[in-house]
Amino acid sequence: MPGCRIANIYGPTEATVYATAWVAGDRLPEQAPPIGGPVALTRCYVLDGRLRPQPVGVTGELYLGGGGLARGYLNRPGLTAARFVADPFGAPGERMYRTGDLVRRRPDGGLEYVGRIDQQVKVRGFRIELGEVEEALRGCSGVAEAAAVATATDGHRRLVGYVVPAAGERTEPEALRRELGRTLPDYMVPSTVVVLDALPLNPNGKLDRGRLPDPGPAVRAARRVAPRTPTERTLAAILAEVLRVERVGVDDNFFELGGDSILSIQVVARARQEGLPLTSRDVYRHQTVAALAHCADTAAVPREAAPEPEAACGPAPLTPIQHWLFGTAGERAGHFSQALSVRLPGDLDPEALEEALNDLVAHHDALRSRFTPGDAPDAAAWSVDEQAPRLRLARHTGPETDTPHFGPFDLAHGPLLRAVLHDPGTGGPGVLHLAVHHLVVDGVSWRVLLEDLDRAYRARRAGGDGSAALPAKSSPLRQWARRLNAHAADGGFDDERGYWAEAVPAPKRPCPTR
């Protein structure tokens, strides 16, 4: 179009439609055109979740300020307060608008649009921007349009891509996956690519993700090769059980089928029960059944001397994060916990659930931990009891805000797990409220605990032993704590001190706490 100027202009209605602009030059951009810089009287901020400016190249949420902002949403004060927030970088009283869009700043100061913040997904333990995957798909040979979603099957998430071929082009899903693998990390490559005639659109002409077709099973039957050796048959059965799929072939990739870091731990635990000496690192390095079986068969001799087994019960040194919590919280340490609520089926067996909870405490050493005050502010005497007092499942009816699992924990006497069976009194299903002190649980731990609780409950309900249904125990927690402390004392993390000292400098003025 000679004589015409091409502009890419971005902006939401809440900022008077136009907020940023980029004008094309003589050369086409090598990738999707950026959205440029702010137009007159507009300010653009790229911020993280704590409203801190993001450096060049780092993705953050786009906030807009300046003269173009709307006053808010008519007759919706709550939504107005949530989206139009105080501008810490502007004059007193000024506001900025949370766009919900993810962008990153280019070296020249311009902005690149990445996607929506509600399109950020977590697959295999990695946070993925679907917009980045879609942009990479559109950059593949013969692709005109693309979409990406994260789907869940039996609780396991996988990345799925959808493409529309360009006119006269033919696209092969596996060829697209190979092409993506040259530029994207493996966890961002969709496990399945579906070819469509057109993407489903809503009445506004935008992608309707809810109408994208079901991609079907992740296993590509045409490539499946049946296990050939005893080790392959054992591992194929383990992966099929862990991933909850019907069959796994020797060339199928564990992570493409929905595997992640937590499931890899389960694979390793079950493989060791069968006498196969594997580690989580092996699962990442050898991602197919064939490769993993070869690794197990050639690992008859341990690659490094394993430490002598240590009793699960008795005194143990604090881990670094436990030192930090006692040093930071002091006398308030008992208040730091994590809570989680699970909606229950209508035919719940409360007695079987209580037995399963006790199976859980007996199986996980951390839940039998005890902490008594030490001489220093950041110290405590930590020990693991051989047998904790029996855990009782509390019953509660009424408002959820009154449930008794809230409040400080007695770290010296326990228990560090609380469970409340809550009847909301509305005739609907009950809710199980769980609370565990943060000294012994984190966000990753919950998934392991819930899966083990489910196994133990099903076994108890069927009249069996819940503890027998749980996977084999790994290294004792006390042993891990001792090895971690020894590694740190021997200088194992010294090479990282300089980086963290620069990345997290000491605050010049401490925040007031009272």
Side-chain angles (χ1 to χ4, degrees):
M1 300 178 64
C4 295
R5 298 181 69 198
I6 307 299
N8 188 29
I9 301 177
Y10 159 90
T13 304
E14 292 85 346
T16 325
V17 182
Y18 297 148
T20 72
W22 171 85
V23 179
D26 295 333
R27 297 179 59 187
L28 291 174
E30 296 179 356
Q31 56 191 46
I35 60 175
V39 300
L41 301 181
T42 301
R43 298 189 302 273
C44 297
Y45 309 118
V46 183
L47 308 177
D48 66 5
R50 297 182 180 180
L51 300 184
R52 296 176 299 190
Q54 297 292 77
V56 172
V58 177
T59 299
E61 184 175 359
L62 177 60
Y63 287 72
L64 299 175
L69 253 59
R71 296 180 183 178
Y73 298 101
L74 183 63
N75 298 327
R76 303 191 68 182
L79 183 59
T80 298
R83 306 299 295 186
F84 293 86
V85 299
D87 185 349
F89 312 102
E94 288 193 307
R95 301 169 307 144
M96 58 184 183
Y97 172 67
R98 294 190 60 179
T99 67
D101 289 323
L102 295 171
V103 300
R104 57 181 167 231
R105 199 174 297 278
R106 292 154 44 114
D108 61 7
L111 299 173
E112 289 180 350
Y113 181 85
V114 175
R116 290 288 300 168
I117 199 167
D118 51 9
Q119 292 173 12
Q120 186 182 74
V121 298
K122 194 170 185 180
V123 178
R124 291 171 48 185
F126 296 97
R127 294 198 180 278
I128 298 173
E129 312 291 352
L130 293 178
E132 292 192 73
V133 179
E134 291 172 348
E135 182 179 336
L137 279 168
R138 283 191 288 268
C140 290
S141 304
V143 174
E145 290 293 337
V149 298
T151 63
T153 304
D154 292 330
H156 304 314
R157 295 173 70 82
R158 61 188 175 108
L159 197 61
V160 178
Y162 296 86
V163 298
V164 176
E169 297 285 347
R170 178 183 176 86
T171 57
E172 295 292 339
E174 287 306 304
L176 291 177
R177 294 183 67 257
R178 288 193 297 271
E179 187 173 347
L180 289 174
R182 300 188 190 105
T183 57
L184 294 179
D186 65 314
Y187 61 85
M188 290 183 66
V189 176
S191 61
T192 302
V193 175
V194 180
V195 180
L196 303 176
D197 293 332
L199 295 178
L201 305 178
N202 62 25
N204 294 329
K206 295 185 177 181
L207 174 65
D208 188 344
R209 296 178 186 274
R211 290 172 51 208
L212 288 168
D214 185 346
V219 180
R220 286 171 282 279
R223 295 176 51 203
R224 185 181 295 132
V225 177
R228 299 153 296 195
T229 67
T231 303
E232 288 183 351
R233 285 191 286 272
T234 299
L235 287 174
I238 291 173
L239 264 63
E241 181 182 357
V242 169
L243 295 170
R244 300 181 185 179
V245 297
E246 184 178 353
R247 290 187 302 275
V248 175
V250 297
D251 294 326
D252 291 322
N253 187 291
F254 170 71
F255 294 103
E256 291 178 4
L257 298 182
D260 56 30
S261 58
I262 303 302
L263 294 179
S264 75
I265 297 173
Q266 297 182 20
V267 169
V268 169
R270 299 189 188 189
R272 289 179 176 177
Q273 285 181 286
E274 300 295 333
L276 301 178
L278 295 176
T279 66
S280 291
R281 179 180 297 181
D282 294 331
V283 179
Y284 274 88
R285 288 181 171 177
H286 313 282
Q287 299 182 4
T288 65
V289 169
L292 198 57
H294 178 74
C295 174
D297 289 338
T298 57
V301 179
R303 283 157 286 188
E304 60 180 43
E308 290 294 325
E310 184 173 335
C313 307
L318 292 176
T319 63
I321 193 63
Q322 291 172 341
H323 268 295
W324 174 87
L325 192 144
F326 280 110
T328 303
E331 297 179 354
R332 305 187 307 277
H335 290 267
F336 289 81
S337 63
Q338 288 192 342
L340 185 144
S341 299
V342 181
R343 195 172 300 278
L344 301 172
D347 60 346
L348 177 79
D349 183 342
E351 287 71 27
L353 178 58
E354 183 173 290
E355 293 293 339
L357 286 165
N358 281 280
D359 293 330
L360 198 69
V361 173
H363 187 73
H364 291 279
D365 302 342
L367 299 179
R368 304 192 308 279
S369 297
R370 299 292 179 265
F371 300 87
T372 54
D375 298 331
D378 63 342
W382 175 32
S383 62
V384 178
D385 290 355
E386 181 174 358
Q387 186 172 3
R390 181 171 178 79
L391 179 70
R392 296 294 180 184
L393 178 62
R395 309 290 181 92
H396 180 74
T397 302
E400 292 190 22
T401 54
D402 297 335
T403 48
H405 66 291
F406 293 111
F409 282 73
D410 184 347
L411 302 181
H413 302 95
L416 299 188
L417 165 66
R418 292 174 180 165
V420 178
L421 183 57
H422 177 227
D423 179 3
T426 59
V431 177
L432 174 64
H433 297 295
L434 297 172
V436 182
H437 196 276
H438 206 359
L439 280 164
V440 297
V441 76
D442 60 14
V444 175
S445 312
W446 277 112
R447 179 170 167 184
V448 177
L449 292 176
L450 291 177
E451 290 183 351
D452 284 355
L453 179 60
D454 178 67
R455 292 190 187 93
Y457 170 75
R458 293 178 185 275
R460 287 289 182 181
R461 179 156 188 174
D465 182 358
S467 59
L470 298 179
K473 297 183 68 169
S474 56
S475 301
L477 182 61
R478 295 172 67 236
Q479 185 179 75
W480 159 250
R482 293 186 190 283
R483 293 188 67 190
L484 183 60
N485 276 272
H487 182 70
D490 292 341
F493 300 110
D494 287 355
D495 60 334
E496 300 181 18
R497 289 181 180 270
Y499 169 81
W500 289 111
E502 183 178 348
V504 189
K508 296 180 180 179
R509 295 178 58 189
C511 293
T513 57
R514 295 185 183 179

